[in-house]
Amino acid sequence: NADGVMLPLRTNARAKMQGFDDGFVKVFCRRGTRIVVGGVVVAPHASELIHVLALAVDQLRPVWKLASAFPVYPSESWSIAQAARQLHVTD
């Protein structure tokens, strides 16, 4: 059992500046433990964005660790932290 939050890139300031609004980021965490178990990135720079999710999964990080990160704003990675914040609020 997992929970997930999806954020469309059209809500991301950096994506807007770069002229694209197609795509999304999605973060999944396990119910109960709130450990990050995966994510999806569909974006022009997806290979650059997925790294932080891969580390969170590999290191069995709880969603609040991603939520408490301070990504540079505006950046595309901001969407990953924002999705994690939304998952953390649902705890």
Side-chain angles (χ1 to χ4, degrees):
N1 291 322
D3 292 321
V5 168
M6 190 269 299
L7 288 179
L9 285 181
R10 69 178 171 271
T11 65
N12 183 288
R14 182 61 155 208
K16 288 179 190 177
M17 285 185 232
Q18 294 177 354
F20 59 87
D21 60 2
D22 291 336
F24 62 90
V25 299
K26 191 166 189 175
V27 178
F28 298 96
C29 70
R30 195 175 305 259
R31 287 188 185 145
T33 64
R34 308 311 279 176
I35 300 284
V36 177
V37 294
V40 178
V41 179
V42 176
H45 304 113
S47 62
E48 298 296 325
L49 297 174
I50 200 70
H51 183 73
V52 69
L53 288 171
L55 287 173
V57 170
D58 181 61
Q59 296 176 2
L60 302 173
R61 297 291 184 198
V63 72
W64 71 265
K65 289 275 191 174
L66 268 179
S68 64
F70 295 101
V72 174
Y73 183 86
S75 69
E76 293 170 41
S77 62
W78 177 87
S79 289
I80 293 171
Q82 190 64 20
R85 286 183 189 109
Q86 288 184 19
L87 276 173
H88 181 60
V89 169
T90 62
D91 285 355

